[in-house]
């Protein structure tokens, strides 16, 4: 008879959260106790496995002179030791929980430090780690302190009895993979290391083990109630409110409430016998009432973003200045809310949210998405053996962050399906902190949550949800509960590459239905690491650029800002869409209607101005007296009489702007919060067919028509008034597919980029059927444009005319042939002009790019940019740079020579120094080599919309470019 004995799992594989750590407590940035930062340069050794080295390195006197050095905070894979890995869903190791591979990179870290000369005698001390990925074992002066997991959460050890005045040896062994890795599959780079601060804190007798700020607000009385519980007890003073209380006592006084729009904080002091800490108290009350999420008695509308922590050189080691820069950018772009996807951020970030004013969904360090590939078999959140680890993560989040007024929701995690562990977390959080609501998207029954949360629900479904008429849930009781809850989109409008499209349509639904309380765009920043090409150009790399076995490519680059935090066109669009002030034309002629869309603030902090423009040139401006409207109220105001100066027949516009009247913590006075343009006169006529001053004439192998010279055999334009045309104008339907064109693999029916390529739209052929000159002075070229291997095409007729003034006009007629199974990418002309024509000016939409469903932020005006600055440097190159509603454009050389183009109707204008085919082939921006001889122009009658289908909904029907008959015209003039 034999028996089987099981070897105990090593600490990095057992399901426990660790051993030896202290109970979690609040993050306290300001205390009168002594602190010593242990950040800086540490000695470092990397081993290929968890057991390659023993623990001798942790003993005092160990000789580590042959080791490398590494910065802490930091990630060793960003400092020459191994490489990052990017996966979205799939685990980059075999799924065999709680086991991890034998190939487990392990980083040993050493730091020798002295205590400052004024370090206090007596009391205890704690060693605090703010964040380590993914499992750590810690020693001090040769004594093992313990182990921990939970990468984005703080852990502390008591060390007072081990400290020496000098020569203290702190040793930390960090494993890249651990059982905790199964709980941290969060659509980001896997980046091991000690990536947040390490601190030694003196804890004198009687210092704070815990404190909890309870600061509610009664909107009916205007009073706030303050109570602060602490261990041990002490006293609270709030000088501005005249309060001096014992901890545990309550006081109710008139206060100004905290909101994201008016982030009023009161300085308070909590003092015990051993410690005094400074607190910033914000009074606010969060409830779900009448089917709505309310703060201080009012429904709130989240204009939010999801934010991963990321720096293009330092990974998740994000410094305070970068955190502030993120939040200032958000505030300047009208963003009022952050979901901390998918883990608690650095605690200082939440302090900045308190200060600057943003609503926060604080999300637990938990995601098990990779089990979804396995139909959720062995999912840890539904396995009781993992529940202690889940509860530990929930407790560490709540206890660390509970004193921030900005935090209005606790989120259980992300994409974990459902299970008993999540229910246990929700129960614990609700018991510990009933003052906030609980969020979790992964269970649409809302069994454990206080809000109904979804990802990427399409517009039509959001409309149904807003009406509370969405399809029923199978459990009638849970269905009734869900229908009674407020609705948010915790992720929507996937901001990958060019896009997202459809934002304005979502926002209209959020504003039309009370239940729809906004959403959070995915996401804030592209996670591209900075690299330098051999020619010196900087660019950014993404998944697969480090040789990963498994990776998800540039899906990690899906943000509203580029890796260097430059706003993308998507962020500019989002700012316009979510403006908290609506400015519209009123029913009365010459009047404007202004609506305050803030949740709490009136309009007294804004100054309103008007500008009157003719043909894109300002000819008058002034102030507009707008009363301090309360939230939700509107007013109609008469605009002044148009100022004189506009030429007869000129196209004129009113532009009304709302700007900050005074500087704030996030912007200077004069910063534009909202704007609108109102047409004063109808747009003038654009290009039209011209009566020819003379008939086309043949001169050998060419045809001359006015300033145009054409190839007699093909009808192709070769020069305009002596200016060479390096590529003749001809119909173009191809664009370098955007990430949203290519779409998500799980949404195959409308992955138009894939379908376009399968049809061969990237390699169409042009056949000339006839070149005709007619008695009315026209040159007509009849063609067929079609891809190989299929029987669809586009019959295209070009009709050229000219006038005695030296202008050349082209009227284009397009008729689809056959049954087109898809919309077109674009429809218009492509041509090439000499590379010297490097400066662009246009009258139309600008200053940035715009497409049919990303056009809200485009202002009609007169704009000028070098061709090189018309490009949008998406991390993965793709279609970009189109300017919308262009009436005329011109390209000029430094000497002023060039070409002017007018369109009828208004057109999309794109100019770049490489072809669409080169743009399509590029994987990174340095792959694009500017041409030395040509600037390529696209003059488009139509563009297909952008949508959000890299993860979300596709292009709405009204923004699709269906293959239908079309007519459009352009007039070309030579500039000398």
């Amino acid at each position: 008879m034999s028996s089987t004995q099981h070897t105990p799992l090593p600490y990095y594989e057992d399901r426990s959260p660790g051993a030896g750590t202290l109970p979690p407590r609040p993050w306290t940035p300001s205390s009168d106790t002594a602190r010593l930062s242990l950040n800086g340069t540490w000695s470092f050794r990397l081993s290929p496995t968890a057991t390659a080295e023993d623990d001798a390195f942790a003993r005092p006197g160990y000789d580590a002179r042959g080791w490398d050095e590494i910065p802490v905070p930091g990630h060793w894979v960003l400092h020459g030791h191994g490489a990052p890995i990017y996966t979205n869903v799939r685990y980059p190791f075999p799924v065999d929980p709680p086991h991890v591979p034998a190939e487990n990179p392990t980083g040993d870290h050493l730091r020798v430090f002295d205590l400052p000369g004024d370090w206090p005698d007596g009391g205890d001390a704690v060693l605090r780690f703010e964040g380590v990925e993914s499992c750590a074992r810690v020693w001090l002066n040769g004594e093992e302190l313990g182990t921990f997991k939970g990468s984005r959460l703080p852990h502390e050890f008591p060390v007072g009895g081990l400290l020496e005045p000098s020569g203290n040896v702190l040793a930390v062994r960090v494993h890249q993979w651990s059982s905790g890795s199964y709980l941290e599959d969060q659509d980001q780079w896997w980046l091991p290391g000690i990536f947040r601060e390490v601190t030694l804190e003196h804890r004198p007798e009687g210092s704070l083990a815990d404190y909890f700020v309870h600061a509610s607000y009664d909107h009916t009385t205007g009073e706030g109630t303050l109570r602060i519980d602490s261990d041990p007890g002490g006293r609270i003073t709030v000088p501005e409110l005249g309060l001096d209380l014992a901890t545990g006592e309550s006081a109710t006084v008139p206060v100004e409430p905290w909101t994201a729009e008016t982030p009023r904080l009161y300085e308070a002091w909590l003092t015990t016998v051993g410690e005094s800490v400074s607190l910033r108290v914000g009074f606010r009350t969060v409830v779900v009432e009448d089917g709505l999420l309310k703060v201080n008695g009012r429904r709130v509308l989240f204009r939010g973003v999801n934010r991963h922590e990321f720096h293009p050189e330092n990974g998740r080691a994000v410094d305070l200045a970068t955190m502030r820069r993120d939040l200032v950018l958000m505030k300047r772009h009208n963003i009022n809310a952050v979901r901390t996807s998918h883990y608690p951020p650095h605690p200082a970030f939440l302090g900045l949210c308190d200060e600057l004013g943003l609503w926060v969904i604080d999300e637990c360090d938990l995601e098990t998405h990779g089990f979804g590939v396995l139909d959720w078999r062995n999912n840890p959140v539904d396995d009781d053996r993992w529940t202690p680890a889940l509860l530990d993560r929930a407790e560490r989040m709540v206890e660390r962050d509970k004193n921030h007024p900005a935090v209005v929701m606790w989120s259980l995690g992300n994409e974990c399906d459902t299970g008993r562990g999540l229910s246990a977390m929700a129960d614990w959080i609700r018991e510990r902190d009933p003052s906030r609501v609980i969020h979790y998207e992964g269970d649409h029954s809302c069994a454990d949550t206080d809000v109904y949360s979804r990802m990427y629900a399409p517009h039509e479904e959001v409309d149904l949800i807003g009406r509370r008429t969405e399809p029923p849930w199978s459990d009638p009781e849970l269905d009734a509960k869900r229908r009674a809850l407020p609705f948010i989109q915790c992720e929507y409008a996937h901001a990958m590459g060019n896009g997202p499209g459809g934002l304005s349509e979502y926002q209209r639904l959020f504003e039309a239905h009370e239940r729809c309380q906004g959403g959070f765009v995915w996401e804030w920043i592209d996670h591209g690491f900075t690299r330098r090409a051999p020619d010196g150009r900087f660019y950014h790399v993404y998944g697969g650029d480090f040789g990963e076995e498994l990776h998800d490519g540039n899906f990690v680059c899906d943000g509203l800002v580029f890796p260097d935090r430059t706003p993308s066109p998507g962020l500019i669009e989002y700012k316009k869409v979510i403006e908290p002030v609506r400015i519209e034309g009123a029913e009365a002629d010459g009047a404007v209607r202004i609506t305050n869309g803030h949740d709490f603030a009136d309009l007294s902090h804004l100054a309103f101005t008007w500008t009157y423009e003719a043909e894109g040139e300002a000819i008058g401006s002034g102030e507009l007296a707008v009363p301090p409207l309360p939230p939700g109220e509107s007013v109609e105001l008469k605009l002044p009489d148009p100022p004189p100066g506009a030429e007869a027949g000129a196209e004129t516009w009113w532009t009304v702007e709302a700007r900050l009247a005074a500087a704030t913590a996030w912007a200077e006075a004069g910063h534009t919060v909202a704007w609108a343009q109102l047409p004063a006169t109808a747009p003038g006529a654009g290009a039209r067919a011209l009566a020819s001053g003379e008939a086309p004439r043949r001169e050998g192998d060419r045809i001359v028509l006015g300033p145009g010279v054409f190839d007699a055999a093909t009808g192709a334009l070769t020069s305009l008034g002596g200016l060479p045309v390096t590529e003749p104008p001809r119909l173009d339907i191809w664009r370098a597919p955007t990430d949203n064109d290519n779409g998500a693999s799980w949404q195959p029916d409308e992955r138009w980029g894939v379908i376009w390529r399968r049809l061969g739209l990237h390699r169409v052929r042009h056949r000339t059927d006839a070149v005709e000159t007619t008695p009315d002075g026209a040159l007509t070229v009849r063609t067929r444009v079609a891809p190989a291997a299929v029987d669809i095409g586009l019959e295209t007729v070009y009709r050229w005319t000219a006038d005695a003034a030296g202008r050349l006009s082209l009227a284009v007629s397009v008729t689809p042939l056959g049954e087109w199974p898809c919309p077109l990418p674009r429809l218009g002309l492509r041509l090439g002009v000499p590379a010297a024509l490097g400066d662009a000016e246009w009258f139309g939409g600008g200053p940035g790019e715009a497409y049919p469903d990303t056009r809200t932020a485009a202002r009609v005006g007169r704009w000028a940019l070098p061709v090189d600055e018309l490009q949008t440097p998406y991390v993965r190159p793709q279609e970009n740079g189109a300017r919308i509603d262009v009436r005329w454009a011109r390209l000029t050389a430094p000497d002023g020579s060039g070409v002017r183009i007018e369109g009828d109707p208004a057109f999309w204008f794109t100019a770049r120094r490489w072809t669409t085919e080169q743009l399509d082939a590029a994987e990174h921006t340095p792959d694009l080599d500017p041409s030395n001889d040509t600037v390529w122009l696209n003059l488009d009658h139509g563009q297909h919309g952008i949508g959000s289908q890299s993860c979300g909904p596709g292009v709405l029907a009204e923004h699709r470019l269906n293959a239908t008959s079309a007519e459009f015209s352009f007039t070309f003039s030579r500039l000398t």
Side-chain angles (χ1 to χ4, degrees), residues 674-685:
W675 61 272
Q677 287 188 303
L678 312 174
T681 58

Side-chain angles (χ1 to χ4, degrees), residues 10 139 156 173 516 641 701 929-930:
W139 297 261
E156 292 182 329
R173 173 164 286 172
C516 296
D641 292 334
D701 60 356
D929 291 322

Side-chain angles (χ1 to χ4, degrees), residues 294-308:
K294 297 181 180 180
V295 179
N296 301 339
R298 295 188 64 89
R299 168 191 182 262
V300 296
L301 182 61
F302 296 112
R303 301 169 167 95
V305 291
N306 288 274
R307 175 189 176 268
H308 269 295

Side-chain angles (χ1 to χ4, degrees), residues 459-740:
H459 298 78
E460 59 271 21
E461 185 179 0
V462 171
D463 187 40
L464 293 175
I465 292 170
R467 302 173 189 275
R468 302 187 193 269
T469 59
E470 69 269 25
W473 190 252
S474 57
D475 184 314
E477 185 176 343
L478 286 175
D479 184 61
K481 176 189 176 184
R482 180 188 60 160
R483 289 178 188 276
L485 295 180
F487 172 73
I488 65 168
Q489 289 249 60
C490 70
E491 293 180 23
Y492 82 113
H494 198 249
M496 186 177 180
N498 187 335
L503 283 169
S504 58
E505 290 83 0
Y506 270 124
Q507 193 67 19
R508 284 198 290 269
L509 292 169
F510 298 158
E511 294 176 3
H513 300 305
E514 270 199 328
R515 186 190 187 190
C516 296
Q517 295 194 236
F520 297 77
V521 168
W522 186 269
E523 64 164 304
W524 175 242
I525 189 168
D526 286 341
H527 302 198
F529 286 113
T530 303
R531 293 293 182 268
R532 192 164 190 163
D535 62 4
R537 284 185 288 174
F538 287 100
Y539 69 107
H540 297 98
V541 296
Y542 45 80
D545 288 330
F546 295 94
E548 304 101 303
E549 287 182 339
L550 285 178
H551 67 85
D552 287 292
N554 68 313
F555 201 74
V556 76
C557 294
D558 46 14
L560 291 170
V561 297
F562 297 125
D564 64 0
R565 288 173 162 78
T566 299
S568 76
L571 181 58
I572 306 303
E573 176 80 356
Y574 193 40
K575 174 186 178 178
K576 176 67 180 136
V577 165
I578 61 175
E579 288 173 339
V581 179
R582 291 286 178 228
I583 304 171
E584 304 163 299
E587 291 186 9
D589 289 340
V592 62
R593 180 181 178 86
I594 295 174
T595 302
N596 182 1
H598 290 90
D599 296 324
F600 298 93
D602 65 24
L603 296 187
S604 59
H605 65 294
L606 299 175
F608 289 77
T609 61
W610 60 266
T611 303
Y612 188 76
E613 295 178 343
E615 297 296 318
E617 300 284 354
I619 60 174
S621 62
E623 296 182 358
L624 189 66
V626 177
L629 295 173
E633 296 296 316
S634 299
V635 66
E636 290 192 8
L637 299 170
K638 186 78 170 63
L639 290 166
D641 292 334
E647 295 183 6
E651 182 179 343
T652 57
W653 289 81
W654 294 99
T655 299
V656 178
E657 293 187 90
R659 299 172 179 266
L660 289 180
T664 68
W666 45 270
E668 298 296 323
H671 167 79
T672 299
V673 172
W675 61 272
Q677 287 188 303
L678 312 174
T681 58
R688 60 181 64 87
L690 302 172
S692 178
E694 58 185 82
R697 63 184 188 275
R698 289 183 177 267
E699 296 181 356
D701 60 356
R702 64 182 193 166
I703 297 174
V704 178
L705 175 61
V709 178
F710 299 81
D711 182 287
T714 64
L717 178 69
T718 59
S719 70
L720 174 70
L723 178 75
V725 178
T726 58
E727 181 175 308
R730 63 181 185 177
L731 192 75
D732 190 20
I733 60 172
W734 179 244
R735 73 183 187 194
T738 68
D739 293 313
N740 287 305

Side-chain angles (χ1 to χ4, degrees), residues 737-936:
T738 68
D739 293 313
N740 287 305
D741 287 338
N742 286 332
S745 60
W746 57 90
Q747 301 180 79
D749 292 344
E750 294 184 2
R751 297 185 69 191
W752 299 124
V754 177
I755 294 169
W756 294 335
R757 200 178 298 277
R758 188 184 307 137
L759 277 173
L761 301 192
H762 60 304
R763 47 174 173 74
V764 296
R765 298 291 183 262
H766 298 256
R767 185 184 74 209
T768 301
D769 290 335
V771 178
E772 305 166 345
T773 58
T774 57
D776 61 355
L779 169 65
T780 301
V781 182
R782 303 183 186 280
T783 70
R784 186 178 191 274
V785 181
V790 293
D791 61 355
I792 58 173
L794 297 165
E795 182 181 82
T796 307
V797 178
Y798 308 93
R799 187 174 187 273
W800 293 92
T801 57
D803 68 3
R807 297 185 299 169
L808 188 66
S809 177
L810 170 60
V812 183
S813 174
V814 181
T815 304
L817 303 171
E819 295 294 326
W820 280 78
C822 61
L824 299 175
R826 69 179 346 132
L827 181 67
L829 298 180
R830 172 169 128 173
L831 67 152
V833 297
L837 306 188
D839 290 309
E841 185 180 5
W842 71 99
F843 175 41
E849 72 181 26
Y851 291 82
D853 52 352
T854 65
R855 61 177 296 153
T856 310
R859 295 195 195 203
V860 175
R862 189 164 177 167
W863 312 102
L865 282 173
V867 166
D868 296 332
E869 293 182 24
L870 292 173
Q871 316 312 308
T872 302
Y874 292 112
V875 173
R876 186 193 73 80
Q878 55 199 271
E879 165 63 32
N880 74 90
R883 269 58 180 182
I884 199 170
D885 291 338
V886 174
R887 284 73 162 158
W888 59 259
R890 63 185 185 187
L891 286 170
T892 57
D895 63 2
S897 63
V899 61
R900 175 184 167 104
I901 305 162
E902 300 168 60
D904 183 25
F907 58 98
W908 273 273
F909 167 67
T910 307
R912 54 175 69 106
R913 295 189 182 275
W914 39 78
T915 65
T916 299
E917 291 75 20
Q918 290 169 322
L919 183 63
D920 186 14
E923 296 293 334
H924 301 88
T925 52
D927 297 339
L928 295 167
D929 291 322
S931 169
N932 293 322
D933 53 24
T934 301
V935 169
W936 280 271

Side-chain angles (χ1 to χ4, degrees), residues 236-457:
I236 304 296
T237 58
V238 189
E240 193 174 354
L241 297 176
L243 295 179
D244 186 344
L245 305 169
T247 54
E249 292 182 353
S250 296
T252 301
V253 292
V255 297
E256 298 173 49
W258 187 97
T259 74
E261 295 167 4
T262 55
R264 181 66 160 94
L265 295 171
Y266 291 89
E267 193 76 16
W269 291 91
L270 168 57
T271 303
T272 68
V273 67
E275 184 176 12
S276 182
V277 301
S278 173
L279 307 175
R280 296 189 300 179
V281 176
F283 292 87
R284 56 108 186 94
T285 296
V286 184
V287 296
V288 172
E289 182 180 75
D290 303 324
L292 300 175
L293 176 66
K294 297 181 180 180
V295 179
N296 301 339
R298 295 188 64 89
R299 168 191 182 262
V300 296
L301 182 61
F302 296 112
R303 301 169 167 95
V305 291
N306 288 274
R307 175 189 176 268
H308 269 295
E309 291 184 304
F310 184 76
H311 187 282
E313 296 173 355
N314 303 327
R316 280 188 289 280
V318 181
D319 60 278
L320 185 64
T322 301
M323 296 178 214
R324 181 177 287 275
R325 183 180 177 190
D326 276 345
L327 288 173
V328 165
L329 272 173
M330 291 178 194
K331 293 288 288 187
R332 289 178 179 174
H333 290 85
N334 294 327
I335 290 164
N336 71 357
V338 177
R339 175 178 173 231
T340 69
S341 53
H342 298 293
Y343 42 82
H346 190 289
F349 181 82
L350 298 178
L352 291 172
C353 291
D354 295 339
E355 173 192 333
L356 297 174
L358 285 101
W359 310 114
V360 175
I361 299 179
D362 198 358
E363 192 148 88
C364 196
D365 191 9
L366 177 61
E367 181 171 338
T368 63
H369 203 174
F371 287 90
V373 179
L374 309 174
D375 296 323
W376 300 105
R377 292 189 304 275
N378 299 315
N379 185 9
V381 303
D382 200 27
D383 183 335
D384 291 338
R385 294 172 296 177
W386 290 88
T387 299
L390 304 184
L391 286 171
D392 179 76
R393 290 171 183 246
E395 292 169 19
R396 291 186 182 279
M397 172 182 70
V398 171
E399 300 297 357
R400 192 195 73 168
D401 298 342
K402 64 195 176 197
N403 296 319
H404 290 283
V407 176
V408 293
M409 285 191 238
W410 300 117
S411 180
L412 302 180
N414 185 67
E415 292 176 318
C416 297
D417 198 49
T418 61
R420 291 161 289 174
L422 290 171
S423 297
M425 293 168 67
D427 291 343
W428 184 90
I429 294 173
R430 195 168 275 118
E431 175 70 21
R432 178 59 172 146
D433 180 24
S435 71
R436 294 177 173 93
V437 300
I438 293 179
H439 167 272
Y440 178 66
E441 183 273 340
D443 180 5
H444 296 170
S445 75
C446 304
D448 295 316
T449 67
D450 301 308
V451 296
Y452 177 30
S453 179
R454 289 286 303 280
M455 293 181 182
Y456 308 106

